Amino acid sequence: MKWLSLLPLGLILFLSGCSELAVLDPKGPVARSQKDLIMFSIIFMLLIIVVIFGLFTYMVVKYRDRPGRGNKDYDPNIHGNTKLEVVWTIIPLIIIIVLSVPNVQTLFELEKPPEKASDKEPLVIYATSADWKWFFSYPEQDIETVNYLHIPTDRAIEFRMSSADSMQALWIPVLGGQKYTMAGMETKLYLQADEPGVYKGRNANFNGEGFTKQTFEVYAESDETFSEWVKETQNNAPDLTQDKYNELLKPGLLNEMTFSSTHLQWVHHGMMEGRDYAIKRHRDEYKELLHLENGKGTGHHDK
Amino acid sequence: MQWDEFFVTGEPLIYGAMVSIALVSAAIMFTLFYFKKWGWLWREWLTTVDHKRIGIMYIISALAMLFRGGMDALMLRTQLAFPDMNFLSAQHYDEIFTTHGTIMIIFMAMPFLIGLMNIVVPLQIGARDVAFPYLNALSFWSFFFGAMLFNISFVIGGSPDAGWTSYTPLAGAAMNPGPGQNFYLLGLQLSGIGTLATGINFMVTIIKMRAPGMKMFQMPIFSWSTLVTSFIIVFAFPILTVALALMTIDRIFGSQFFTLTGEGMPMMWVNLFWMWGHPEVYIVVLPAFGIFSEIISTFARKQLFGYKAMVLSMIVIAGLSFLVWVHHFFTMGMGAFVNSVFSISTMLIAVPTGVKIFNWLGTLHKGRIQLTTPMLWSLAFIPSFVIGGVTGVMLGMAAADYQFHNSYFLVAHFHYVLISGTVFACFAGLVYWYPKMFGHKLNEKLGKLSLWFFVIGFHVCFFPQYFVGLDGMPRRVFTIMPEWMPLNVISTVGAFGMGAGFAIFVYSIYYSLRYNEREKTGDSWDGRTLEWATPTPVPFYNFATVPKVDGPDAFLAMKEKGETTFEEEKLEPIHMPSSTGQPIIMMSFMFIASFGLVFEWIWMAVAGLIAGIIMMAIRSFDYDDGFYVKVDEIKRTERKVRGL
C-alpha cells in the first residue's frame, strides 16, 4: 500500500505536463474561463476517484477469499443501510450543485463579449464554412479571406457563423470552445486573443471527405499591425466577383486567398433565402470523390 | 447498372475481404453438406422458438459482429498511429468509422445483451418461455437480416460514410448520393423492428410470467434491469423508426424533411436521432449493470447491498435518459438557458449511478470474494467506469463542453463507459452463464489471460485519448498532426492489446469445448437465483415443476430447504409452442424488400414487401397452438439430465 502515497505526487507531475495541451494553455479570456472551469471540475472528480478507488482497493484486498480466512468478517445477510445510502446520494448531489453554479455563470458569460474588452466594440467577422474551407468576411473593412484569419489582440471578435452546405463547427482551441455552423441559421461566438501569435483553427464537426484538411490559421496581432494588414489588403487584393465566389464554393480544398470585397453582397448563407445557394449550384459535384490521401490526392474532383 | 457499380472495387483490402468471405462461406456449406447437417440446422436452430437457443444465436451473431467492429477499430487505429499514414484514404477511413460505430452499438452491444436476456430472464423468473415465443424468433431474424444487410455494404454497393449519427444534410441525397447511406437506413430499420418487439416481449414476460409468489421486489436484479430496459426500448425505438423512415423517404422518393432545399429542417434529424440515441446508451448499459450486480453478489457470496436503491436508481436513470438528449449538441447555439437546463439534468444522472457504484462496494463489504473470471471482469468494471463517469460529468458541464465537444476527449469518455460498462459485462455475463448454455465452464486460466490483455489494452488505448483531445484533436480526422503522435502510438498499441484479448477469448471457447470437464449439477457457481435451479443442459421446457418463491435469492432459499424443481408426484403435462419456419422466411422476404430499396429497385422492394405481407396473412390464419409434453417424457428427460 506504500506506493499509494506516491499517487498525489504522480498526479502533480502529470498535470504539470498538461500545460502543453492546447485547451489547458489558453491565449484569451474565453479559453481561460473554460480552462478554469475544467480545472475546477477536475479537483472534484479527482476527489471522487480517490474515495472510490480507495474504498474499492480496501474491499477487494480485505474481503477476498484467501486460505485460512474462516468466517471472520463474513456476513452474507447484510441487505442495506439506509443511512449510508442517503449519505452517498446527498454528497454527489452537493458536488453537482457546486459544479452547476460556475457552469451556469460561465454559460451566460459566453453569450456576451468578454468583459475585459468592453471599452471597444467587438470586431464583427462573418465566418462561413463550406465543404471544405472557410470564408471570413470583414463587412466593416470590406475584406474577405479564405482559410486564414487576422484578428487584433485585446478586442472581442464577434463571429457570426453559418454554413453554405453541411453542418460544421468553428473551433480555435487556444482561444475558446466551438459552436456549430448551419445553413439557414446564424450562430454567434465571442472569442478574444490576449497575446499575439499564430494559432490553429479548424472545423470540428465531421462533414465528409475533406474534413481533416479543413483547417485555418489565426494571426493574432496588435491593433497597428492589424490595421496595416487591413489597409494593404484593401489596396492590393482583387475584388471577389460572384462567379469567382461560386467557383470557390464548389466542394473541394482551397489554399489561402484574400479579396477586397465580401460575398455578403449576394448571399448570406445564415438566412433562410441563402441556405440552398450552394446546393443548387453544386449538387452534382458531390457524386465524385476527392481521393484524399496523405501526400497524394489533389483535393479537387477528378472528372 | 455495371458490375463495378454493384461490387466495390479498387481497394486491395476489400478484395481480400471478398476472397475470405467466399472461402468461409464455401467451407461452411461444404461442412454442412459433407456431414449432412442441413436438416439438423433447420429443425434444431433456424426454426426454433426456444428462448435459450434464440439467445445463443444472438450471442454468436454478436460475437461475429464484435470481430467485424474490432477489425474496423484496428484499421482505424493503424491509420492514426503516425502522421501521414497512407494505410487508408480519407473516404475509406470515413466508411470504416461509420460502420465501426453502428455495428458496435446496434449489431454488437444490443444483440449481445438481448441474447443474455433471452437465455437468462425466463429462467430467473421461473418461466417456461417468453410471453410470445413466435415473436421472439421473428425479432431475432429481423436483427439477423438487418445486420447482414448492413454488413454486405462494404463489398456490395459501398459502405455508409456519414458517421453512426448520420447528421443531415450531410447524409441526405444531395451530399451523399449512392446506396451507402441507404444501407444504414434500412439495416437499422429492419433490425429496429425486432428490437422494439423484443422490448414488448420482455415487458410482458416479466410482468405476467413470474413464478408463483415472486413479487416485483423479489425479482433478481438482472430481470429488473431487463424490465427497465424494455420500457426504454418501447418508448425510444418508435422515434428511431420514424426518423429513419423520414430520411429514407427523403433519399429515395425525394421528399424534403431533412434537406436544405424546400422546407426541410436538417436539425430535426439531430433532435430525433438523439431523442432515441441518448436512451439507447442506457439500453446497452442498464442490462450490463444488472449482470454486474448478479455476478458481484454471487462471488462476494452475499445478498446484493441496497437492492431497492439499486432498482430505484435504474428507474431514475431510465427516466432521466429521456430528458438530456440536447447535451449532444450543446454547441448548436441554443442559448445559455436551454444549455443550463440540459447541463444540470445531464449531471444529475451521476447521482443514481453513484448510488449504484457505492452499493456494489457495499456488496463487497464483509463478503468472501472469489476471484473467478466473471468476477474479475466485474471488478475491473468499477474503477474503469468511474473514470468514464466522472469525465461524463465534465462533458455535461456545457460551458466546458464547448472545448470537449467532438474532440478525442469525448471519444475517450464514451469508450470508457461503453466498453467498461457494456463489453466487460458481455464477457462477464457470457463466462458466468456459459455453463448454463453449453454444459461446461470456460477455461479459467485462458479467461483470466484474455481479461488482462483486454483490460490493460483498454486503458492503454483510451486513457491517452483524453489528453490528445485536450490538445485539440477532433474525432473522425483520418490523419494526425505530428504533435499528437506519441499519445496516438500508445493508443494504437493498446488497441492491439484488446484485439489479442479477444483472440485469446475465442481460443478459450475452442479449448474449453475440447478439454473442460462437463457440468453435472447445473449449479455451476453455487448460485442464488432460479436459473441455477435447472439441470444442465436445460430441458426445452425449463422447469419440470415450477418453484414457489417467497423471498429474494429464491434458489438459495430452495437449497437451504432442500427443495428441487423436479418433484415427480407434482408433474403435469407442459404446454409448449411448436417450432416454425415462418419467422426466418418472413424476414428473408423483408431482407429482399430492403435490399431492393437500398438500390432503389422499386420492383424488388414491392415484390419483397408483398411476399412479407402474404407471410403475415398466413400467420394470422395459423391455428397451431403448440403441444403438450407428456408426464412420462418429462420424467425420462429429467432423470437423464440429473443422472438419477
Side-chain angles (χ1 to χ4, degrees), chain B residues 191-250:
Chain B
S191 68
I193 298 166
T195 311
L196 181 57
T198 299
I200 296 168
N201 211 341
F202 277 102
M203 214 180 210
V204 179
T205 306
I206 293 170
I207 291 174
K208 300 288 289 181
M209 294 179 61
R210 297 190 308 279
M214 185 184 273
K215 296 193 185 104
M216 289 296 271
F217 275 90
Q218 290 168 351
M219 232 160 50
I221 194 84
F222 179 59
S223 295
W224 251 116
S225 72
T226 303
L227 179 64
V228 177
T229 306
S230 302
F231 271 90
I232 305 182
I233 288 176
V234 169
F235 284 99
F237 262 78
I239 310 174
L240 178 72
T241 307
V242 170
L244 290 172
L246 293 180
M247 209 210 280
T248 310
I249 299 169
D250 260 12

Side-chain angles (χ1 to χ4, degrees), chain B residues 261-448:
Chain B
T261 48
E263 303 281 301
M265 291 193 286
M267 302 311 133
M268 187 51 78
W269 166 266
V270 180
N271 272 288
L272 290 175
F273 182 86
W274 286 116
M275 280 163 119
W276 160 79
H278 196 80
E280 166 69 17
V281 174
Y282 294 93
I283 294 174
V284 297
V285 159
L286 287 183
F289 286 173
I291 294 170
F292 290 131
S293 301
E294 296 286 350
I295 291 172
I296 290 174
S297 157
T298 303
F299 294 108
R301 318 227 57 79
K302 275 189 67 197
Q303 199 176 331
L304 189 65
F305 191 88
Y307 171 89
K308 273 196 181 158
M310 290 298 238
V311 173
L312 287 175
S313 61
M314 279 197 290
I315 295 171
V316 173
I317 292 173
L320 284 174
S321 76
F322 282 92
L323 303 177
V324 301
W325 81 95
V326 169
H327 70 219
H328 293 272
F329 40 97
F330 274 151
T331 61
M332 210 186 251
M334 291 159 295
F337 179 72
V338 174
N339 276 358
S340 301
V341 171
F342 284 97
S343 188
I344 293 168
S345 62
T346 300
M347 288 196 275
L348 277 179
I349 294 186
V351 177
T353 315
V355 168
K356 297 190 80 71
I357 298 274
F358 282 108
N359 276 323
W360 283 315
L361 293 177
T363 311
L364 296 175
H365 180 69
K366 297 210 170 175
R368 189 186 282 157
I369 302 168
Q370 295 170 328
L371 297 174
T372 57
T373 311
M375 186 61 166
L376 282 176
W377 281 110
S378 312
L379 292 176
F381 150 78
I382 293 177
S384 314
F385 195 80
V386 168
I387 296 175
V390 295
T391 50
V393 174
M394 291 170 71
L395 278 158
M397 300 175 61
D401 179 67
Y402 292 174
Q403 286 281 28
F404 300 139
H405 198 80
N406 271 341
S407 78
Y408 258 74
F409 192 89
L410 166 84
V411 175
H413 156 72
F414 72 70
H415 282 95
Y416 252 89
V417 281
L418 281 172
I419 293 182
S420 73
T422 307
V423 180
F424 286 15
C426 289
F427 282 122
L430 182 57
V431 178
Y432 180 59
W433 283 305
Y434 200 85
K436 194 85 306 195
M437 294 156 64
F438 296 106
H440 61 90
K441 284 185 186 173
L442 285 172
N443 183 283
E444 280 283 303
K445 252 188 199 158
L446 285 170
K448 283 177 186 165

Side-chain angles (χ1 to χ4, degrees), chain A residues 14 22-23 63 65 69 71 73-76 79 85 88 96 103 171 173 177-178 180 200 205 212 275 292 294, chain B residues 85-86 90 260 264 301 306 309 331 343 347 358 366-369 399 402-403 405-406 467 470-471 478 483:
Chain A
F14 199 54
V23 167
Y63 296 111
D65 186 24
R69 207 188 117 193
N71 270 338
D73 284 340
Y74 176 55
D75 188 352
H79 56 268
E85 287 171 72
W88 61 55
I96 301 272
N103 175 34
W171 190 26
Q178 63 193 291
Y180 282 152
K200 281 179 189 147
N205 186 59
T212 308
R275 68 178 199 160
L292 207 58
N294 281 303
Chain B
M85 280 287 272
N86 263 324
L260 282 179
R301 318 227 57 79
T331 61
S343 188
M347 288 196 275
F358 282 108
K366 297 210 170 175
R368 189 186 282 157
I369 302 168
Y402 292 174
Q403 286 281 28
H405 198 80
N406 271 341
F467 296 93
L470 288 173
D471 202 21
F478 88 104
E483 63 261 36

